[in-house]
Each structure stands twice: as C-alpha cells, then as structure tokens.
Amino acid sequence: MDITELIARFTHAFGRRPTFVARAPGRVNLIGEHTDYNDGFVLPMAIDRDVTIVGAPRDDGVVRLHSANFGDETHFALDHIARATDGAWSNYARGVADVLQRAGLALHGFDGVIHGEVPIGSGLSSSAAIEMATLMAFAAAGAVGPAPLNLDGPQAARLAQRAENEFVGVNCGIMDQFISSLGKAGRALFIDCRSLAYEFVPMPTGVTVLVVDTSAPRSLAASAYNERRAQCEQAAHVLGVRALRDVSVETFERRRSELPDPIARRAAHVVHENQRVLEAVAALRANDVATFGRLMNHSHDSLRDLYGVSSKELDAVVEIARSVPGVYGARMTGAGFGGCAIALVDDAQVAELTQAVEREYPRRTGREPKIYVCTASEGAGWRSL
Ligand code: GLA
C-alpha cells in the first residue's frame, strides 16, 4: 500500500488530512544470534520492508490508530494506558506510549493509520518495527506541539525494547529495536550490545541477501527463548562472569567441563558466535565474501547442534541453499523455531536459488516458502506531509 493510498485511508477514517508520516523497518540478522542478551556482538541489517504510520496530532491526549492490515481500530487515553482488549497489535503502540511517559517524556496524542509490510510473526521483527514507528509518530506529533522527544537513536531503541519487555511481556534483547532505529542503506550494523557502541559496515556489492520464510508456525519460540536465556545466565554464574560476553574462546574451552550439559553446549554456541561476529566484521571490511559465508554456515550449524533453536524447515532451506552454486553461506535468522532463513548469494545466481527453494522446499516439508530479496535500508524516521 503506497503513501497516497494511506493518506486516502486516513482522510476517510478521520475526516481530515494527515500532517506527518513515520516509518520503521524490519530486519534480518546476518550473524550473531542469541548473543545480544549475553552482552555480546550482533551484525543485523534493516530491510526494505517497513511499518508506516500516517498521522496528525490531536489536542485531547488520545491516540486513535486504524490498522490498514486488519481493518480494525484502537484508541487509548495517554493518562490511562491499559492493555488492549481489542486488536493485540495495539499493545506495541500502547507499550511505547506507556514507557515514554514513565521515562518522563510529555506526549502528544495523534490520529493515525498504521500499515505494515514486514511479514507478521515470521522472525523479521515486525513488532520492533511497530514499536519504532509508533515512537517516531510520537516524535512527529510532539514536534508540532510543545513536546519534542529529542531522543537519539540508541535511546529510542532502549525505550522501544523496554516497551516490549515490560508492557508486551516479551523478554527480548536490544538487537531488533536497535537496528530498526539506526539502520542505514547499503550498510550492516555492528553492535556491541553491552556498551551500545555501534559501527556501520558496508555490505559487499555483487551479492544478494535472499530471505526465505519457512511458513512454519513459531509456537515454542517464547518459552524456549526464555529457557535459553536462563541457561546462559546459569553458565555465566558458574564461570563467575557478569555475562557470557566476558568469556573468551580459550578460557571457555579450558573450563568447559565445569558446566553440565546442555548448559555447556548453549554457552559454547554463544562464546564462539561472539568470536564469529568479530571475524565476520573483519571479513566484510576486507570484502572477503567467501569467509563471511563460511562464518554464516558455522553459525547455523552451531544454532542447530549446540543451541537447539533450529527446526527441520529451517535446516531444509539451509541445505537446499548450500547446494546451489554461487551461494556463499546460509543460516537461520532471528530467534529460531520456524521463521526465516537467509542466504548470501551471487547476484547472478538469485534466480537459480529461488527456483531451487521453490522446487525442493515443498517436496521436503509439505509447506510453501515465501521468498524475499532484501536490501540494507534506512532506519526509523518521520517527515511532514
Ligand atoms: C529475537 C530477539 C532478539 C535476539 C534474537 C536472537 O529476535 O528479539 O533480541 O535475541 O531473537 O538473536
């Protein structure tokens, strides 16, 4: 749905013209999986699939949001934000409003039409995109009134993460909101999830990031995610460190036998994955796509064998992709248990890879894949209309 159509929807729903458009992208993570909540390293990129809100401020402290995806509407008063009984999607927006206000920011209400092109529930961070787009809508609504938000990108990401942790009740790390906030066209983002220091790394030319949605439900994801987090904390406790980030590969291999299984395997993944991210960043800087692809492959194998968060569908995509000439590497991306896998492939081989997945994946899994070519894109923002 393009901006003209969204403006028309707004005018139809609210009987006036919108004054701003706010947007925020989804993401894929290139490497560094399940490392963010261990204070470690990640390397995601924002993708060219957004959540967009067209809106106009209101003066009565109310937010009214109409969903162009679902056709329903939600509204809440800023001085009393309860959890939604209508569309559950609105909890991301409510959570952002609640957290911003609890952080002491004065908010301005708005009317908005929200539309998402980030596939929902498939591990491309549609929720982080709603959170960041809502935050941008509040910035836009406040900018024309007395209450500009004046947050920098990392601060905005932290608040959106808090909304997800404290209001929505999902115990995620910082990666998804951070990349949605700070992504840059043509760049991957190397993030130190402890200090929140970050660096942009140019994406190599001549290669494509192909995203394959397994179309498999992610039913176990939340409980398994929390269980993995707890296992990592236990490993850090036994090793006497604040977080697994503080354990080098050498120290870990020396002390590995102090940990019971499966804690040892979980920790092995995290410690080696952090090291892989550092090597992957160096490979990107050297334009060494072959090494980068190999590290992606190791990352997937470790998530499958040690961290235990892959699935037969994700493994099938990865195996099919790796059998196609011109594919440098393939891995699951995001939390796992269904969702999406990515492949890094020569531009000239994209059609070949797409055909191989379309042919082989249904045969192996009985499911239809959804395939997207994604390019590294700009993070969240807003502009006047
Ligand atoms: C989800 C979480 C992130 C991160 C990944 C796994 O996407 O929201 O914070 O933990 O899983 O790397």
Side-chain angles (χ1 to χ4, degrees), residues 171-188:
N171 204 12
C172 64
I174 187 69
M175 171 169 70
D176 305 343
Q177 290 78 11
F178 205 91
I179 182 62
S180 183
S181 176
L182 281 131
K184 246 197 193 357
R187 304 277 191 273

Side-chain angles (χ1 to χ4, degrees), residues 7-8 89 98 250 271 284 335 365:
I7 291 171
W89 58 269
D98 184 54
E250 295 71 35
V271 169
L284 266 199
T365 63

Side-chain angles (χ1 to χ4, degrees), residues 27 29 32-37 125 172-176 225 334-335:
R27 63 99 187 91
N29 188 17
E33 216 65 84
H34 291 278
T35 45
D36 63 350
Y37 53 81
S125 293
C172 64
I174 187 69
M175 171 169 70
D176 305 343
Y225 187 88

Side-chain angles (χ1 to χ4, degrees), residues 13-95:
F14 299 107
R16 57 185 179 131
R17 299 270 307 168
T19 59
F20 64 80
V21 54
R23 50 157 290 281
R27 63 99 187 91
V28 293
N29 188 17
L30 297 169
I31 194 162
E33 216 65 84
H34 291 278
T35 45
D36 63 350
Y37 53 81
N38 290 295
D39 282 1
F41 305 117
V42 294
L43 187 69
M45 68 176 211
I47 58 174
D48 45 339
R49 296 269 184 314
D50 286 342
V51 169
T52 304
I53 299 175
V54 295
R58 333 176 19 122
D59 289 329
D60 58 357
V62 166
V63 173
R64 271 175 76 195
L65 268 179
H66 175 88
S67 163
N69 294 79
F70 301 117
D72 58 350
E73 196 178 292
T74 191
H75 56 93
F76 54 91
L78 288 168
D79 62 4
H80 177 74
I81 303 177
R83 255 177 207 74
T85 49
D86 47 9
W89 58 269
S90 81
N91 278 327
Y92 300 107
R94 288 166 188 253

Side-chain angles (χ1 to χ4, degrees), residues 108-250:
H108 212 85
F110 64 89
D111 288 331
V113 171
I114 183 166
H115 180 243
E117 278 175 356
V118 186
I120 295 167
S122 48
L124 298 177
S125 293
S126 53
S127 41
I130 300 183
E131 288 153 5
M132 286 307 308
T134 307
L135 193 145
M136 286 298 144
F138 278 118
V144 296
L149 287 186
N150 288 334
L151 296 168
D152 66 21
Q155 287 168 334
R158 278 297 277 269
L159 288 165
Q161 181 204 11
R162 270 184 60 195
E164 178 118 9
N165 293 163
E166 295 169 16
F167 195 92
V168 181
V170 174
N171 204 12
C172 64
I174 187 69
M175 171 169 70
D176 305 343
Q177 290 78 11
F178 205 91
I179 182 62
S180 183
S181 176
L182 281 131
K184 246 197 193 357
R187 304 277 191 273
L189 186 57
F190 171 45
I191 309 166
D192 177 335
C193 297
R194 172 171 283 168
S195 67
L196 297 191
Y198 60 95
E199 266 173 66
F200 294 102
V201 190
M203 289 295 287
T205 52
V207 290
T208 295
V209 177
L210 195 86
V211 179
V212 179
D213 185 343
T214 57
S215 313
R218 292 195 305 158
S219 48
L220 272 175
S223 58
Y225 187 88
N226 290 338
E227 184 190 57
R228 295 299 181 285
R229 282 192 74 139
Q231 290 169 332
C232 290
E233 280 159 25
Q234 198 182 330
H237 180 74
V238 172
L239 296 173
V241 292
R242 183 169 141 204
L244 285 176
R245 146 70 178 277
D246 298 307
V247 184
S248 68
V249 166
E250 295 71 35

